[in-house]
Amino acid sequence: MFHRIGRAVVRHPIWTIVAWVIAAVAIVATAPSLPSNSDESSFLPKSYESIQAADLQSKAFPSAFTPSAIVLYSRTDGQKLAPADLKDAQRVTGQLAAKGIDQVQKVIPGPPSKDGKYDLALVQMDSKNAGQPKQADAAKTLRADAKELASGTHLDVKVGGSAAQALDQQDSSQRGQALVGIGTFVIILVTLLIIFRAPILAVLPLVLIGLVSSVANGLIAYATKLFNLQANSSISSILIVVLFGVGTDYFLFLMFRYRERLRAGDEPKEAMINAVGRVGEAIASAAGAVIIAFLALVLSTLGFLKQMGPALAIAVGATLVAGLTLIPAVVSLIGPKVFWPSKSWQKEPENARFAALGGMVRRRPALVAAVSGVLMVALALGTFGFKATFDLAAGSMPKTKESMVVQTEMQNAYSAGAAEPTSVFLTSTDGKPLDKAALPGFAKKLQGVDGVADSRLAALSKDGMTANVTVTLKYDAASDRAISTVGTIRDTAHADAPSGTKALVGGMSSIYKDINTAVNHDYKTVFPVAAVLIMVILGLLLRSVVAPWYLMASVGLGFGATLGATVLIFQKGQGHSGLMFMLPVIMYLFVVAIGTDYNILMIARLREEAREGREPREAAGEALRHAGPTVAAAGFILAATFATMMLAGNSMLSEMGFAVSFGIVVAAFVMAMFFTPSLTALIGHAAWWPGHGDRAAVKPPAPGREKARELV
């Protein structure tokens, strides 16, 4: 099949390129804009208690005041606010309320801090648009207007809260995306120049993948609108490295094989046809593993991951199609001149380093397997220290951003949970109005929960059927202690709800509690489904039942080593309170799916060597000698492109960039080069049971007459 694809593309390269250009123009011109949502509650389905509480609040208290932004007043010299300062703060609050800013419904004074250094204004926005870009725009206007109104006074005015966090997150994401894009571009360009010493080959994948990127982004926007998925600004940065990293990998696999066929004496166009025919199955299998692993994310209960899965699958799918059609078409038009001015493509290198590594695997496979296995197990021990953090805002931008400064100052001046209190809604289930006499006692029981700073009856609905008890925690809403406290509040509220009533606990800490539950569900669902589907692909590719088991076991060890190393670096080394809650899921899919690519390439080359009549140990050594340079080059580029995410300037992308790049390094330079070939050599012919994929299909070549080979 892949030979037929290669022949069709190479015979009609102009039409192939024109088809891609027309498709790109049509998709980009007609694709809808990609929305963005930073509202954490939108990540969860309606079956969770925090979402049910939010729905009940909107029905029972449609005009309830829930601040979307907080205006924080303090003196520029850090001293206590004087009476004149408080008067200025009241004036600014009143003038902000009178301005009629879009999305802003109310601006009311808040309580001053106990130390007298801070005063507040609470801003309510339209709840229907929570987390949407228009509320970030409103926060931007609030900042500008508040600072202008306070000019000439001793007040320092800052705007925080969820809408301001969305604004800062958006700005931080745009800056990070630019840095990631530039870093990715430079790394790919420089690395390809070093490998091939050919400027055309260095620039070509960047141009072609740029075209693929526009197509993929358009298709993702269509899918997002069609299936009503949630979008998040962080996805754009991830898409850049996936498209350019994976796309460059597939470009390398194809170009190394094309160069090999030219060295073997094939006519240029026939060389490309043979390259697509020989490497196409490995590329398709590798891409298939990645796509299936990403699509497994649709089983997640989190909107963020539900969006990420299909988006990344579409990106990899578009890259796969380009790798089998667009790239061969363009290269076949250029021919061997694509390697200009280098002459090294005409002669096969000796690969002395990889020949030595291959010899070591051939002679001592047990030692190589043990050392590489022990290394991964040792790093994996760090996973026992893993802790999750759920504050997406703090994780996606530097602490110097204004909204983060407001959050920090409020935690110090007020109760840590004052900015985002927990709401307990008590609603009638028997059709009768609530017993007002029982409400103070219910609030008092919640006050007795360890970790609660204050509990009071805030409001009673007009029909008397629902009460809102506001509970202020002693801890920041996203902290582990706040989430644990909310769990106790839920237990107390459910157990002590008066007869004929039901209690629902809402607020940000409750949302984080449910996100934690959802992530644990995903660990038990997404992980095994992705693993089973990847094993099926490996089984079909290798025609073996045995090999997929130890290949996936090796990838599992790589995942453990990666998570352990990330915990050691960020939690132990840098003192982070925890890693972003979705990091293990994303790591698992990237490390398992993309890491499997290199295992597929190495095991496919090993099978090819075995089919030429070599015994298992010799085949493993030869596979490493010939496929090692390809795996090393591809692994380095992909790891380096993911590492550019650490330039984004926020902890979420820094943790993700390090974890995925480290995982790819482990997958390429530990698993694929040493662990997998040495295990295959030890298992021998049994690795291919029940098939005979390693048996010689033809007579082995006579000594001294081996075909010129290089890389898979």
Side-chain angles (χ1 to χ4, degrees), residues 360-394:
M360 180 176 66
V361 169
R362 182 178 66 249
R363 292 190 303 272
R364 299 181 177 179
L367 178 62
V368 172
V371 171
S372 54
V374 167
L375 174 63
M376 290 189 286
V377 169
L379 288 173
L381 294 176
T383 59
F384 292 107
F386 171 75
K387 291 182 180 179
T389 181
F390 298 88
D391 191 351
L392 288 178

mmCIF file of all heavy atoms in Angstrom, residues 360-394:
data_model
loop_
_atom_site.group_PDB
_atom_site.id
_atom_site.type_symbol
_atom_site.label_atom_id
_atom_site.label_comp_id
_atom_site.label_asym_id
_atom_site.label_seq_id
_atom_site.Cartn_x
_atom_site.Cartn_y
_atom_site.Cartn_z
ATOM 1 N N MET A 360 28.335 -3.722 22.064
ATOM 2 C CA MET A 360 28.136 -3.932 23.495
ATOM 3 C C MET A 360 26.811 -4.637 23.765
ATOM 4 O O MET A 360 26.732 -5.554 24.593
ATOM 5 C CB MET A 360 28.161 -2.574 24.214
ATOM 6 C CG MET A 360 27.973 -2.656 25.726
ATOM 7 S SD MET A 360 28.127 -1.047 26.534
ATOM 8 C CE MET A 360 26.683 -0.207 25.866
ATOM 9 N N VAL A 361 25.752 -4.229 23.068
ATOM 10 C CA VAL A 361 24.450 -4.883 23.228
ATOM 11 C C VAL A 361 24.524 -6.336 22.776
ATOM 12 O O VAL A 361 23.952 -7.230 23.411
ATOM 13 C CB VAL A 361 23.365 -4.112 22.438
ATOM 14 C CG1 VAL A 361 22.074 -4.922 22.372
ATOM 15 C CG2 VAL A 361 23.107 -2.758 23.069
ATOM 16 N N ARG A 362 25.257 -6.591 21.688
ATOM 17 C CA ARG A 362 25.369 -7.956 21.170
ATOM 18 C C ARG A 362 26.119 -8.861 22.142
ATOM 19 O O ARG A 362 25.726 -10.006 22.372
ATOM 20 C CB ARG A 362 26.096 -7.924 19.819
ATOM 21 C CG ARG A 362 26.217 -9.307 19.164
ATOM 22 C CD ARG A 362 26.898 -9.236 17.815
ATOM 23 N NE ARG A 362 28.300 -8.833 17.934
ATOM 24 C CZ ARG A 362 28.784 -7.671 17.521
ATOM 25 N NH1 ARG A 362 27.994 -6.773 16.971
ATOM 26 N NH2 ARG A 362 30.067 -7.379 17.668
ATOM 27 N N ARG A 363 27.180 -8.336 22.762
ATOM 28 C CA ARG A 363 28.003 -9.170 23.636
ATOM 29 C C ARG A 363 27.392 -9.340 25.026
ATOM 30 O O ARG A 363 27.459 -10.419 25.611
ATOM 31 C CB ARG A 363 29.406 -8.558 23.773
ATOM 32 C CG ARG A 363 30.231 -8.603 22.489
ATOM 33 C CD ARG A 363 31.679 -8.201 22.765
ATOM 34 N NE ARG A 363 31.762 -6.866 23.379
ATOM 35 C CZ ARG A 363 31.835 -5.737 22.679
ATOM 36 N NH1 ARG A 363 31.833 -5.774 21.357
ATOM 37 N NH2 ARG A 363 31.908 -4.562 23.301
ATOM 38 N N ARG A 364 26.813 -8.284 25.582
ATOM 39 C CA ARG A 364 26.319 -8.332 26.966
ATOM 40 C C ARG A 364 24.893 -7.777 27.085
ATOM 41 O O ARG A 364 24.649 -6.763 27.738
ATOM 42 C CB ARG A 364 27.253 -7.527 27.875
ATOM 43 C CG ARG A 364 28.680 -8.072 27.899
ATOM 44 C CD ARG A 364 29.540 -7.255 28.821
ATOM 45 N NE ARG A 364 30.886 -7.802 28.919
ATOM 46 C CZ ARG A 364 31.868 -7.266 29.655
ATOM 47 N NH1 ARG A 364 31.626 -6.154 30.345
ATOM 48 N NH2 ARG A 364 33.066 -7.813 29.695
ATOM 49 N N PRO A 365 23.934 -8.414 26.460
ATOM 50 C CA PRO A 365 22.555 -7.899 26.519
ATOM 51 C C PRO A 365 21.981 -7.898 27.934
ATOM 52 O O PRO A 365 21.218 -7.001 28.290
ATOM 53 C CB PRO A 365 21.788 -8.852 25.598
ATOM 54 C CG PRO A 365 22.609 -10.102 25.561
ATOM 55 C CD PRO A 365 24.024 -9.653 25.656
ATOM 56 N N ALA A 366 22.325 -8.901 28.745
ATOM 57 C CA ALA A 366 21.777 -8.980 30.105
ATOM 58 C C ALA A 366 22.264 -7.791 30.943
ATOM 59 O O ALA A 366 21.482 -7.167 31.678
ATOM 60 C CB ALA A 366 22.178 -10.297 30.765
ATOM 61 N N LEU A 367 23.559 -7.462 30.829
ATOM 62 C CA LEU A 367 24.113 -6.345 31.584
ATOM 63 C C LEU A 367 23.487 -5.024 31.141
ATOM 64 O O LEU A 367 23.122 -4.184 31.976
ATOM 65 C CB LEU A 367 25.631 -6.297 31.399
ATOM 66 C CG LEU A 367 26.355 -5.135 32.097
ATOM 67 C CD1 LEU A 367 26.173 -5.219 33.605
ATOM 68 C CD2 LEU A 367 27.843 -5.125 31.719
ATOM 69 N N VAL A 368 23.359 -4.844 29.817
ATOM 70 C CA VAL A 368 22.777 -3.604 29.285
ATOM 71 C C VAL A 368 21.336 -3.454 29.752
ATOM 72 O O VAL A 368 20.908 -2.377 30.190
ATOM 73 C CB VAL A 368 22.855 -3.589 27.745
ATOM 74 C CG1 VAL A 368 22.077 -2.405 27.185
ATOM 75 C CG2 VAL A 368 24.307 -3.533 27.282
ATOM 76 N N ALA A 369 20.567 -4.544 29.687
ATOM 77 C CA ALA A 369 19.166 -4.500 30.124
ATOM 78 C C ALA A 369 19.079 -4.190 31.613
ATOM 79 O O ALA A 369 18.232 -3.389 32.052
ATOM 80 C CB ALA A 369 18.468 -5.816 29.814
ATOM 81 N N ALA A 370 19.954 -4.788 32.405
ATOM 82 C CA ALA A 370 19.916 -4.582 33.857
ATOM 83 C C ALA A 370 20.274 -3.147 34.227
ATOM 84 O O ALA A 370 19.581 -2.512 35.036
ATOM 85 C CB ALA A 370 20.873 -5.551 34.543
ATOM 86 N N VAL A 371 21.343 -2.607 33.623
ATOM 87 C CA VAL A 371 21.777 -1.253 33.962
ATOM 88 C C VAL A 371 20.723 -0.225 33.562
ATOM 89 O O VAL A 371 20.352 0.668 34.351
ATOM 90 C CB VAL A 371 23.128 -0.932 33.284
ATOM 91 C CG1 VAL A 371 23.463 0.552 33.450
ATOM 92 C CG2 VAL A 371 24.235 -1.791 33.878
ATOM 93 N N SER A 372 20.216 -0.328 32.328
ATOM 94 C CA SER A 372 19.209 0.632 31.876
ATOM 95 C C SER A 372 17.921 0.487 32.671
ATOM 96 O O SER A 372 17.259 1.481 33.005
ATOM 97 C CB SER A 372 18.932 0.464 30.374
ATOM 98 O OG SER A 372 18.591 -0.884 30.066
ATOM 99 N N GLY A 373 17.553 -0.760 33.017
ATOM 100 C CA GLY A 373 16.348 -0.989 33.813
ATOM 101 C C GLY A 373 16.478 -0.438 35.223
ATOM 102 O O GLY A 373 15.561 0.211 35.739
ATOM 103 N N VAL A 374 17.618 -0.671 35.868
ATOM 104 C CA VAL A 374 17.844 -0.178 37.229
ATOM 105 C C VAL A 374 17.844 1.355 37.252
ATOM 106 O O VAL A 374 17.311 1.977 38.186
ATOM 107 C CB VAL A 374 19.171 -0.730 37.796
ATOM 108 C CG1 VAL A 374 19.578 0.015 39.054
ATOM 109 C CG2 VAL A 374 19.041 -2.220 38.079
ATOM 110 N N LEU A 375 18.422 1.987 36.230
ATOM 111 C CA LEU A 375 18.430 3.448 36.142
ATOM 112 C C LEU A 375 17.008 3.988 36.130
ATOM 113 O O LEU A 375 16.680 4.941 36.866
ATOM 114 C CB LEU A 375 19.178 3.889 34.881
ATOM 115 C CG LEU A 375 19.153 5.397 34.570
ATOM 116 C CD1 LEU A 375 19.839 6.193 35.666
ATOM 117 C CD2 LEU A 375 19.792 5.676 33.214
ATOM 118 N N MET A 376 16.138 3.386 35.319
ATOM 119 C CA MET A 376 14.757 3.864 35.238
ATOM 120 C C MET A 376 13.996 3.591 36.531
ATOM 121 O O MET A 376 13.203 4.427 36.984
ATOM 122 C CB MET A 376 14.056 3.229 34.034
ATOM 123 C CG MET A 376 14.559 3.746 32.692
ATOM 124 S SD MET A 376 13.565 3.215 31.272
ATOM 125 C CE MET A 376 14.073 1.491 31.139
ATOM 126 N N VAL A 377 14.226 2.436 37.141
ATOM 127 C CA VAL A 377 13.552 2.111 38.399
ATOM 128 C C VAL A 377 13.976 3.086 39.493
ATOM 129 O O VAL A 377 13.144 3.557 40.293
ATOM 130 C CB VAL A 377 13.854 0.660 38.821
ATOM 131 C CG1 VAL A 377 13.383 0.403 40.249
ATOM 132 C CG2 VAL A 377 13.183 -0.328 37.864
ATOM 133 N N ALA A 378 15.273 3.423 39.552
ATOM 134 C CA ALA A 378 15.777 4.340 40.571
ATOM 135 C C ALA A 378 15.109 5.713 40.447
ATOM 136 O O ALA A 378 14.687 6.310 41.446
ATOM 137 C CB ALA A 378 17.291 4.477 40.457
ATOM 138 N N LEU A 379 14.996 6.220 39.217
ATOM 139 C CA LEU A 379 14.330 7.505 39.014
ATOM 140 C C LEU A 379 12.838 7.412 39.337
ATOM 141 O O LEU A 379 12.243 8.355 39.864
ATOM 142 C CB LEU A 379 14.524 7.974 37.574
ATOM 143 C CG LEU A 379 15.927 8.463 37.196
ATOM 144 C CD1 LEU A 379 16.006 8.735 35.696
ATOM 145 C CD2 LEU A 379 16.284 9.722 37.978
ATOM 146 N N ALA A 380 12.240 6.258 39.024
ATOM 147 C CA ALA A 380 10.804 6.085 39.247
ATOM 148 C C ALA A 380 10.435 6.142 40.726
ATOM 149 O O ALA A 380 9.283 6.417 41.074
ATOM 150 C CB ALA A 380 10.333 4.767 38.642
ATOM 151 N N LEU A 381 11.396 5.902 41.613
ATOM 152 C CA LEU A 381 11.108 5.961 43.051
ATOM 153 C C LEU A 381 10.657 7.355 43.483
ATOM 154 O O LEU A 381 9.958 7.515 44.490
ATOM 155 C CB LEU A 381 12.344 5.544 43.851
ATOM 156 C CG LEU A 381 12.778 4.075 43.703
ATOM 157 C CD1 LEU A 381 14.068 3.819 44.467
ATOM 158 C CD2 LEU A 381 11.674 3.133 44.185
ATOM 159 N N GLY A 382 11.045 8.376 42.707
ATOM 160 C CA GLY A 382 10.633 9.738 43.018
ATOM 161 C C GLY A 382 9.137 9.968 42.892
ATOM 162 O O GLY A 382 8.603 10.941 43.440
ATOM 163 N N THR A 383 8.422 9.074 42.197
ATOM 164 C CA THR A 383 6.981 9.247 42.022
ATOM 165 C C THR A 383 6.231 9.177 43.346
ATOM 166 O O THR A 383 5.122 9.711 43.462
ATOM 167 C CB THR A 383 6.409 8.172 41.074
ATOM 168 O OG1 THR A 383 6.681 6.867 41.615
ATOM 169 C CG2 THR A 383 7.045 8.274 39.699
ATOM 170 N N PHE A 384 6.815 8.527 44.354
ATOM 171 C CA PHE A 384 6.128 8.411 45.642
ATOM 172 C C PHE A 384 5.994 9.768 46.341
ATOM 173 O O PHE A 384 5.193 9.913 47.259
ATOM 174 C CB PHE A 384 6.868 7.423 46.548
ATOM 175 C CG PHE A 384 6.796 5.999 46.062
ATOM 176 C CD1 PHE A 384 7.907 5.383 45.499
ATOM 177 C CD2 PHE A 384 5.616 5.289 46.138
ATOM 178 C CE1 PHE A 384 7.849 4.084 45.040
ATOM 179 C CE2 PHE A 384 5.544 3.982 45.679
ATOM 180 C CZ PHE A 384 6.653 3.371 45.123
ATOM 181 N N GLY A 385 6.768 10.753 45.908
ATOM 182 C CA GLY A 385 6.664 12.085 46.499
ATOM 183 C C GLY A 385 5.748 13.018 45.726
ATOM 184 O O GLY A 385 5.641 14.200 46.045
ATOM 185 N N PHE A 386 5.061 12.499 44.709
ATOM 186 C CA PHE A 386 4.223 13.349 43.851
ATOM 187 C C PHE A 386 3.053 13.954 44.620
ATOM 188 O O PHE A 386 2.342 13.273 45.350
ATOM 189 C CB PHE A 386 3.683 12.543 42.665
ATOM 190 C CG PHE A 386 2.651 13.286 41.852
ATOM 191 C CD1 PHE A 386 3.028 14.299 40.996
ATOM 192 C CD2 PHE A 386 1.302 12.972 41.962
ATOM 193 C CE1 PHE A 386 2.084 14.988 40.246
ATOM 194 C CE2 PHE A 386 0.346 13.650 41.220
ATOM 195 C CZ PHE A 386 0.743 14.653 40.359
ATOM 196 N N LYS A 387 2.862 15.266 44.444
ATOM 197 C CA LYS A 387 1.691 15.969 44.961
ATOM 198 C C LYS A 387 1.126 16.816 43.828
ATOM 199 O O LYS A 387 1.873 17.335 43.001
ATOM 200 C CB LYS A 387 2.061 16.863 46.148
ATOM 201 C CG LYS A 387 2.450 16.106 47.402
ATOM 202 C CD LYS A 387 2.758 17.069 48.541
ATOM 203 C CE LYS A 387 3.150 16.314 49.818
ATOM 204 N NZ LYS A 387 3.478 17.253 50.933
ATOM 205 N N ALA A 388 -0.201 16.943 43.818
ATOM 206 C CA ALA A 388 -0.849 17.717 42.756
ATOM 207 C C ALA A 388 -1.246 19.087 43.252
ATOM 208 O O ALA A 388 -1.585 19.268 44.423
ATOM 209 C CB ALA A 388 -2.080 16.967 42.253
ATOM 210 N N THR A 389 -1.177 20.078 42.357
ATOM 211 C CA THR A 389 -1.702 21.404 42.657
ATOM 212 C C THR A 389 -2.744 21.743 41.600
ATOM 213 O O THR A 389 -2.626 21.337 40.446
ATOM 214 C CB THR A 389 -0.588 22.466 42.682
ATOM 215 O OG1 THR A 389 -1.165 23.730 43.008
ATOM 216 C CG2 THR A 389 0.118 22.587 41.352
ATOM 217 N N PHE A 390 -3.773 22.492 42.001
ATOM 218 C CA PHE A 390 -4.933 22.703 41.139
ATOM 219 C C PHE A 390 -5.134 24.160 40.744
ATOM 220 O O PHE A 390 -6.131 24.497 40.127
ATOM 221 C CB PHE A 390 -6.193 22.195 41.846
ATOM 222 C CG PHE A 390 -6.145 20.722 42.120
ATOM 223 C CD1 PHE A 390 -5.574 20.237 43.290
ATOM 224 C CD2 PHE A 390 -6.642 19.811 41.209
ATOM 225 C CE1 PHE A 390 -5.508 18.878 43.545
ATOM 226 C CE2 PHE A 390 -6.574 18.456 41.450
ATOM 227 C CZ PHE A 390 -6.012 17.980 42.615
ATOM 228 N N ASP A 391 -4.206 25.016 41.098
ATOM 229 C CA ASP A 391 -4.346 26.436 40.788
ATOM 230 C C ASP A 391 -3.833 26.690 39.370
ATOM 231 O O ASP A 391 -2.654 26.944 39.149
ATOM 232 C CB ASP A 391 -3.565 27.268 41.801
ATOM 233 C CG ASP A 391 -3.887 28.753 41.686
ATOM 234 O OD1 ASP A 391 -4.576 29.130 40.721
ATOM 235 O OD2 ASP A 391 -3.457 29.518 42.562
ATOM 236 N N LEU A 392 -4.739 26.621 38.391
ATOM 237 C CA LEU A 392 -4.345 26.805 36.999
ATOM 238 C C LEU A 392 -3.827 28.218 36.744
ATOM 239 O O LEU A 392 -2.914 28.412 35.952
ATOM 240 C CB LEU A 392 -5.538 26.530 36.072
ATOM 241 C CG LEU A 392 -5.977 25.068 35.928
ATOM 242 C CD1 LEU A 392 -7.175 24.987 35.020
ATOM 243 C CD2 LEU A 392 -4.841 24.218 35.398
ATOM 244 N N ALA A 393 -4.429 29.195 37.405
ATOM 245 C CA ALA A 393 -4.010 30.580 37.170
ATOM 246 C C ALA A 393 -2.562 30.790 37.604
ATOM 247 O O ALA A 393 -1.736 31.311 36.860
ATOM 248 C CB ALA A 393 -4.932 31.539 37.922
ATOM 249 N N ALA A 394 -2.245 30.379 38.847
ATOM 250 C CA ALA A 394 -0.881 30.565 39.346
ATOM 251 C C ALA A 394 0.111 29.734 38.550
ATOM 252 O O ALA A 394 1.261 30.127 38.370
ATOM 253 C CB ALA A 394 -0.815 30.185 40.824
#
